[in-house]
């Protein structure tokens, strides 16, 4: 038996210029069936659905059928040619020719470039699926605000069993198909999560479309969720924290020189010796002291001029559990010059604060090292050339500091 594994997606068009897109998971072809069973081969229909051709497969198959007198009453055939990388270039099936163009899954789509991607999902071109039932998706919650490069925890808690979810953007071609994986834990309810990862280029309010396919194959009505884009700063280094509901969870970054960036030391503006200014630090402190803003995102950015060579440490802290009756999922991602940094552990990294989680855990979630080529070290040798102006703490920041001081006195 031959196995053909592929992550290719492709579209094909016939002479009527109709287009469809398939995602290839795995095709299994029995060697003996290729040798003598044209019906099986033709049932595969377009050989391109395998994603790639191979020397072990015939490049053409002819078939003819005759009546009892030997007169040919039917004939057909399949033939294809390959690109240099082994993918199907052109294919002739029953006299109709198909030309294939390929792209890797999700890449190149407007959704992935401009809006968001979903890990483990399949990107499909075309219109968002039409509903086939009058049902609406049950128990859907998500963050209604988002930062560029951040996350969104879409959760569904429902008595209905779903097989897959469809996610797209209203007015944008293409959508994602995501296999439903329930985390029911034996309860009467099914619990699902869809991990949305926003593009670094995402910069506008959108209407997110979400629907589901139930166990009987029925598709729900599309839920239209308004997502507001919240501006955030960006630098050569960006560390982003997202959490699933309104708690006061804080992001902390320890720089190689020991500087600690967090709500009480948010960064500031640095003026270089040539007179130019750069800013750095924490630009969002969400739900501070349980003054709920529902952003549920925090972001720390470091520009190129201030990148230090050495090891960075990222911590997450449940400063105040504003609602102890609910668990909270969180995720942290770190990017350097647009790419995920290679961390000691996962990046992105995720976790859960359980129901009733306490405060002040200061959990180390990620460490990573950057070799900056000396740009920061030379700046450190000329500290006198910099004038540092820190961000002024807000009233809410001061409330947090007062609360922290009160806690320390109680301890």
């Amino acid at each position: 038996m031959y196995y053909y594994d592929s992550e290719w997606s492709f579209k094909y068009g016939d002479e009527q210029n109709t287009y469809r897109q398939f995602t290839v998971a795995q095709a299994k072809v029995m060697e003996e069936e290729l040798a003598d069973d044209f019906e099986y081969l033709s049932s595969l229909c377009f050989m391109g659905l395998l994603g790639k051709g191979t020397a072990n497969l015939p490049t053409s198959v002819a078939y003819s059928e005759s009546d009892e007198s030997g007169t040919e009453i039917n004939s057909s055939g399949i033939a294809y040619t390959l690109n240099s990388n082994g993918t199907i270039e052109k294919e002739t099936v029953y006299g109709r020719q198909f030309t294939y163009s390929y792209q890797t899954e999700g890449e190149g789509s407007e959704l992935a470039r401009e809006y968001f991607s979903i890990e483990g999902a399949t990107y499909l071109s075309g219109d968002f699926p039409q509903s086939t039932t009058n049902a609406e998706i049950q128990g859907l919650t998500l963050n209604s605000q988002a930062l560029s490069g951040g996350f969104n925890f879409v959760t569904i808690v429902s008595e209905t069993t779903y097989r897959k979810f469809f996610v797209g953007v209203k007015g944008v071609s293409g959508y994602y198909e995501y296999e439903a994986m329930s985390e029911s834990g034996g309860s009467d309810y099914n619990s699902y999560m869809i991990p949305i990862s926003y593009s670094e280029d995402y910069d506008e309010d959108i209407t997110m479309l979400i629907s589901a396919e139930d166990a009987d194959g029925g598709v729900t009505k599309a839920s239209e969720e308004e997502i507001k884009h919240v501006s955030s700063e960006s630098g050569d280094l960006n560390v982003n924290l997202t959490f699933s509901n309104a708690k006061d969870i804080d992001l902390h970054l320890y720089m190689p020189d020991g500087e600690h960036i967090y709500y009480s030391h948010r960064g500031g503006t640095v003026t270089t010796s040539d007179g130019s200014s750069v800013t750095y630090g924490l630009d969002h402190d969400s739900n501070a002291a349980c003054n709920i803003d529902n952003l549920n995102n925090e972001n720390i950015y470091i520009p190129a001029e201030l990148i230090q060579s050495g090891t960075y440490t990222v911590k997450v802290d449940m400063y105040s559990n504003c609602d102890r009756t609910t668990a909270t999922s969180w995720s942290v991602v770190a990017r350097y010059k647009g790419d995920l940094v290679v961390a000691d552990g996962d990046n992105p990294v995720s976790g859960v604060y359980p129901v009733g989680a306490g405060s002040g855990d200061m959990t180390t979630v990620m460490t990573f090292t950057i070799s900056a080529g000396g740009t920061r070290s030379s700046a450190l040798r000329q500290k006198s050339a910099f004038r540092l102006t820190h961000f002024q703490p807000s009233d809410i920041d001061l409330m947090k500091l007062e609360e922290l001081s009160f806690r320390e006195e109680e301890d």
Side-chain angles (χ1 to χ4, degrees):
M1 181 178 289
Y2 298 113
Y3 292 86
Y4 303 96
D5 291 307
S6 174
E7 294 180 354
W8 290 91
S9 298
F10 58 91
K11 64 183 180 181
Y12 68 83
D14 59 20
E15 57 268 32
Q16 279 79 43
N17 293 318
T18 60
Y19 292 90
R20 303 175 188 173
Q21 177 149 336
F22 294 83
T23 295
V24 181
Q26 184 180 73
K28 302 178 180 180
V29 182
M30 299 296 293
E31 183 176 12
E32 60 271 24
E33 289 178 316
L34 286 176
D36 58 14
D37 191 346
F38 176 79
E39 182 176 347
Y40 176 80
L41 188 61
S42 63
S43 72
L44 289 175
C45 195
F46 311 113
M47 296 290 287
L49 295 184
L50 295 175
K52 290 188 178 183
T54 169
N56 295 315
L57 290 176
T59 56
S60 64
V61 177
Y63 170 79
S64 64
E65 182 180 0
S66 302
D67 61 15
E68 294 180 355
S69 66
T71 302
E72 184 176 278
I73 58 175
N74 189 22
S75 64
S76 57
I78 297 174
Y80 67 91
T81 60
L82 300 179
N83 295 307
S84 59
N85 64 355
T87 56
I88 306 296
E89 178 188 28
K90 293 183 179 179
E91 181 178 33
T92 303
V93 182
Y94 304 141
R96 302 173 72 188
Q97 189 173 84
F98 298 81
T99 300
Y100 295 86
S101 60
Y102 294 81
Q103 64 183 35
T104 53
E105 183 173 323
E107 284 188 10
S109 71
E110 183 181 1
L111 264 182
R113 290 194 313 269
E114 304 295 334
Y115 300 101
F116 57 82
S117 58
I118 303 175
E119 183 178 358
T122 298
Y123 171 76
L124 300 173
S125 66
D127 295 333
F128 195 81
Q130 295 292 313
S131 63
T132 60
T133 72
N134 290 322
E136 297 181 351
I137 192 168
Q138 296 180 353
L140 174 66
T141 59
L142 74 168
N143 288 353
S144 61
Q145 302 180 79
L147 302 181
S148 304
F151 290 89
N152 202 335
F153 293 101
V154 178
T155 59
I156 298 97
V157 179
S158 171
E159 292 179 298
T160 303
T161 299
Y162 295 121
R163 296 196 306 192
K164 60 182 68 172
F165 297 102
F166 308 105
V167 185
V169 173
K170 189 173 184 178
V172 178
S173 179
Y175 61 95
Y176 293 105
E177 181 181 287
Y178 186 71
E179 182 179 352
M181 293 173 285
S182 176
E183 301 175 359
S184 61
S187 71
D188 294 333
Y189 291 84
N190 299 290
S191 177
Y192 308 94
M193 180 179 288
I194 306 173
I196 303 288
S197 178
Y198 291 104
S199 164
E200 289 189 282
D201 293 329
Y202 164 65
D203 62 357
E204 62 182 283
D205 298 347
I206 61 172
T207 300
M208 187 180 294
L209 302 176
I210 306 174
S211 65
E213 180 182 297
D214 62 29
D216 297 323
V219 178
T220 68
K221 295 179 180 178
S223 178
E224 298 191 3
E225 303 293 332
E226 301 298 327
I227 308 296
K228 179 178 175 56
H229 175 261
V230 178
S231 297
S232 59
E233 301 292 341
S234 63
D236 266 31
L237 175 63
N238 278 86
V239 182
N240 182 279
L241 163 68
T242 303
F243 38 101
S244 59
N245 44 37
K247 309 287 181 75
D248 184 2
I249 302 176
D250 289 323
L251 178 64
H252 296 251
L253 177 65
Y254 293 82
M255 304 278 281
D257 67 354
E259 183 177 5
H260 177 195
I261 300 173
Y262 69 120
Y263 66 85
S264 182
H265 176 70
R266 296 183 63 168
T269 300
V270 171
T271 304
T272 64
S273 56
D274 64 4
S276 61
S277 297
V278 293
T279 61
Y280 76 105
L282 175 73
D283 66 349
H284 289 288
D285 180 17
S286 180
N287 303 321
C290 292
N291 289 270
I292 304 303
D293 59 24
N294 285 311
L295 177 57
N296 305 340
N297 276 270
E298 298 204 354
N299 180 62
I300 292 175
Y301 66 100
I302 310 295
E305 294 87 343
L306 303 181
I307 294 295
Q308 302 174 18
S309 294
T311 299
Y312 295 73
T313 299
V314 181
K315 295 190 178 187
V316 170
D317 179 47
M318 174 70 83
Y319 181 85
S320 186
N321 193 341
C322 309
D323 180 1
R324 291 177 179 269
T325 66
T326 62
T328 305
S329 300
W330 57 263
S331 187
V332 171
V333 61
R335 296 183 177 91
Y336 179 54
K337 295 183 177 180
D339 296 322
L340 294 177
V341 300
V342 178
D344 294 333
D346 294 332
N347 182 27
V349 58
S350 300
V352 176
Y353 284 111
V355 171
S359 303
D361 56 291
M362 285 297 290
T363 301
T364 298
V365 299
M366 185 188 303
T367 61
F368 56 88
T369 300
I370 292 178
S371 298
T375 56
R376 175 58 176 169
S377 60
S378 62
L380 285 173
R381 287 194 295 270
Q382 302 175 31
K383 281 189 176 180
S384 61
F386 292 82
R387 297 192 304 275
L388 181 62
T389 304
H390 289 295
F391 292 138
Q392 293 301 309
S394 66
D395 291 341
I396 291 177
D397 290 327
L398 294 175
M399 289 171 59
K400 290 180 71 169
L401 293 173
E402 290 174 0
E403 182 180 342
L404 182 60
S405 176
F406 177 74
R407 289 179 184 176
E408 292 173 345
E409 290 176 2
E410 281 193 326
D411 293 339

